[in-house]
mmCIF file of all heavy atoms in Angstrom:
data_model
loop_
_atom_site.group_PDB
_atom_site.id
_atom_site.type_symbol
_atom_site.label_atom_id
_atom_site.label_comp_id
_atom_site.label_asym_id
_atom_site.label_seq_id
_atom_site.Cartn_x
_atom_site.Cartn_y
_atom_site.Cartn_z
ATOM 1 N N MET A 40 11.311 13.006 2.480
ATOM 2 C CA MET A 40 11.523 13.211 1.052
ATOM 3 C C MET A 40 10.195 13.546 0.405
ATOM 4 O O MET A 40 9.137 13.246 0.936
ATOM 5 C CB MET A 40 12.153 11.983 0.395
ATOM 6 C CG MET A 40 11.251 10.765 0.318
ATOM 7 S SD MET A 40 12.057 9.378 -0.493
ATOM 8 C CE MET A 40 12.335 10.078 -2.111
ATOM 9 N N ILE A 100 6.515 6.515 7.349
ATOM 10 C CA ILE A 100 5.928 6.515 8.692
ATOM 11 C C ILE A 100 4.572 7.206 8.607
ATOM 12 O O ILE A 100 4.484 8.367 8.208
ATOM 13 C CB ILE A 100 6.838 7.245 9.699
ATOM 14 C CG1 ILE A 100 8.205 6.561 9.785
ATOM 15 C CG2 ILE A 100 6.177 7.301 11.073
ATOM 16 C CD1 ILE A 100 9.213 7.318 10.626
ATOM 17 N N LEU A 134 5.920 -3.812 35.022
ATOM 18 C CA LEU A 134 5.792 -2.405 34.659
ATOM 19 C C LEU A 134 4.631 -1.768 35.411
ATOM 20 O O LEU A 134 3.608 -2.408 35.674
ATOM 21 C CB LEU A 134 5.560 -2.274 33.153
ATOM 22 C CG LEU A 134 6.685 -2.788 32.242
ATOM 23 C CD1 LEU A 134 6.289 -2.624 30.783
ATOM 24 C CD2 LEU A 134 7.992 -2.064 32.524
ATOM 25 N N HIS A 272 -12.756 11.606 14.618
ATOM 26 C CA HIS A 272 -14.140 11.527 15.065
ATOM 27 C C HIS A 272 -14.801 10.254 14.551
ATOM 28 O O HIS A 272 -16.023 10.163 14.494
ATOM 29 C CB HIS A 272 -14.914 12.765 14.615
ATOM 30 C CG HIS A 272 -14.448 14.019 15.283
ATOM 31 N ND1 HIS A 272 -14.896 15.277 14.934
ATOM 32 C CD2 HIS A 272 -13.550 14.220 16.286
ATOM 33 C CE1 HIS A 272 -14.300 16.187 15.693
ATOM 34 N NE2 HIS A 272 -13.478 15.568 16.520
ATOM 35 N N PRO A 283 -4.090 0.353 30.483
ATOM 36 C CA PRO A 283 -3.316 0.544 29.253
ATOM 37 C C PRO A 283 -3.886 -0.093 27.998
ATOM 38 O O PRO A 283 -3.508 0.273 26.892
ATOM 39 C CB PRO A 283 -1.989 -0.144 29.605
ATOM 40 C CG PRO A 283 -2.379 -1.251 30.530
ATOM 41 C CD PRO A 283 -3.529 -0.713 31.343
ATOM 42 N N ALA A 359 -5.203 -6.293 12.025
ATOM 43 C CA ALA A 359 -4.403 -6.273 10.799
ATOM 44 C C ALA A 359 -4.383 -7.623 10.087
ATOM 45 O O ALA A 359 -3.975 -7.706 8.927
ATOM 46 C CB ALA A 359 -2.972 -5.835 11.120
ATOM 47 N N GLY A 449 -22.121 -3.885 18.697
ATOM 48 C CA GLY A 449 -21.797 -3.112 19.889
ATOM 49 C C GLY A 449 -22.997 -3.017 20.815
ATOM 50 O O GLY A 449 -24.151 -3.207 20.430
ATOM 51 N N PRO A 509 -32.453 -8.093 7.664
ATOM 52 C CA PRO A 509 -33.064 -9.302 7.097
ATOM 53 C C PRO A 509 -32.282 -10.574 7.377
ATOM 54 O O PRO A 509 -32.809 -11.677 7.183
ATOM 55 C CB PRO A 509 -33.101 -8.998 5.592
ATOM 56 C CG PRO A 509 -31.992 -8.014 5.376
ATOM 57 C CD PRO A 509 -31.986 -7.166 6.612
ATOM 58 N N GLU A 648 -15.760 -19.802 1.876
ATOM 59 C CA GLU A 648 -15.117 -20.444 0.732
ATOM 60 C C GLU A 648 -14.944 -21.942 0.952
ATOM 61 O O GLU A 648 -15.086 -22.741 0.019
ATOM 62 C CB GLU A 648 -13.762 -19.785 0.462
ATOM 63 C CG GLU A 648 -13.054 -20.333 -0.760
ATOM 64 C CD GLU A 648 -11.732 -19.648 -1.038
ATOM 65 O OE1 GLU A 648 -11.268 -18.861 -0.183
ATOM 66 O OE2 GLU A 648 -11.160 -19.902 -2.111
ATOM 67 N N ALA A 681 -19.841 -15.164 -4.365
ATOM 68 C CA ALA A 681 -18.438 -15.353 -3.983
ATOM 69 C C ALA A 681 -17.934 -14.261 -3.047
ATOM 70 O O ALA A 681 -17.199 -14.522 -2.090
ATOM 71 C CB ALA A 681 -17.569 -15.408 -5.241
ATOM 72 N N VAL A 719 -24.728 -10.183 -2.320
ATOM 73 C CA VAL A 719 -25.903 -10.907 -1.831
ATOM 74 C C VAL A 719 -27.122 -10.489 -2.644
ATOM 75 O O VAL A 719 -27.346 -9.298 -2.878
ATOM 76 C CB VAL A 719 -26.164 -10.626 -0.333
ATOM 77 C CG1 VAL A 719 -27.407 -11.373 0.149
ATOM 78 C CG2 VAL A 719 -24.957 -11.011 0.512
#
Side-chain angles (χ1 to χ4, degrees):
M40 69 179 298
I100 300 173
L134 298 178
H272 293 173
E648 183 178 9
V719 179

